[in-house]
Amino acid sequence: MEPRRTGSKPNILVYDGDCPFCSRYVKLLRLKESIGPVELVNARTDHTVVRRLIASGYDLDEGIVLIQGDDIYFGDQCMTRLAVLSTPVGVFNRLNAAILSSPRISAFVYPILKAGRRIVLRILGRERFSRDTGAAR
């Protein structure tokens, strides 16, 4: 699948900035090298994009979001899209693409990743998101 450049609409990735796994994953992807500029948005902030996604019914505590132009990818679909788009440079990105570029495998693995995230956040004493603003409850 050819990486898509959206012209005037930015690529936006909304993720849990307080989750060490999520933050590290986003850094390792090297998205800027494959799809151009990417605005990284912490889902725990009162950002316009966060408010818009919540108003549209997305539960940001349940998934990562990639916005490319008018397309929105959420949860396991986002992980598949990121795997397909990320650069093949480095062991992490090659492994990520090999595993998560399959929608079927992403759908199976994503709930496991979410459960691991919840456990780690609980251990770290981090709260779940508010459904109204994205900020911690």
Side-chain angles (χ1 to χ4, degrees):
M1 184 179 302
E2 185 68 27
R4 178 176 156 191
R5 304 207 185 264
T6 58
S8 63
K9 292 188 178 185
N11 297 296
I12 302 169
L13 184 62
V14 182
Y15 69 102
D16 184 355
D18 283 3
C19 170
F21 295 129
C22 303
S23 296
R24 188 73 181 142
Y25 178 76
V26 167
K27 287 178 185 170
L28 289 171
L29 282 177
R30 299 180 182 198
L31 284 173
K32 291 177 186 178
E33 294 174 20
S34 58
I35 64 173
V38 179
E39 180 180 355
L40 300 178
V41 176
N42 183 345
R44 293 180 181 266
T45 61
D46 188 27
H47 192 284
T48 359
V49 172
V50 171
R51 288 193 309 269
R52 189 177 83 222
L53 288 167
I54 291 169
S56 297
Y58 290 94
D59 183 349
L60 300 179
D61 200 41
E62 291 296 318
I64 188 170
V65 178
L66 175 66
I67 302 170
Q68 283 193 291
D70 295 325
D71 300 324
I72 298 175
Y73 303 91
F74 178 74
D76 61 283
Q77 293 175 345
C78 176
M79 297 296 280
T80 300
R81 184 73 177 161
L82 292 172
V84 169
L85 292 174
S86 68
T87 175
V89 175
V91 174
F92 172 80
N93 283 342
R94 284 194 301 276
L95 184 61
N96 182 58
I99 296 170
L100 296 176
S101 61
S102 162
R104 204 174 266 171
I105 294 173
S106 284
F108 176 77
V109 171
Y110 195 70
I112 298 166
L113 295 173
K114 281 192 330 183
R117 173 186 160 268
R118 283 205 180 106
I119 292 167
V120 168
L121 291 178
R122 193 170 298 138
I123 290 169
L124 295 174
R126 309 263 166 78
E127 298 182 24
R128 293 185 59 142
F129 298 172
S130 165
R131 293 187 187 207
D132 299 328
T133 63
R137 293 185 208 191

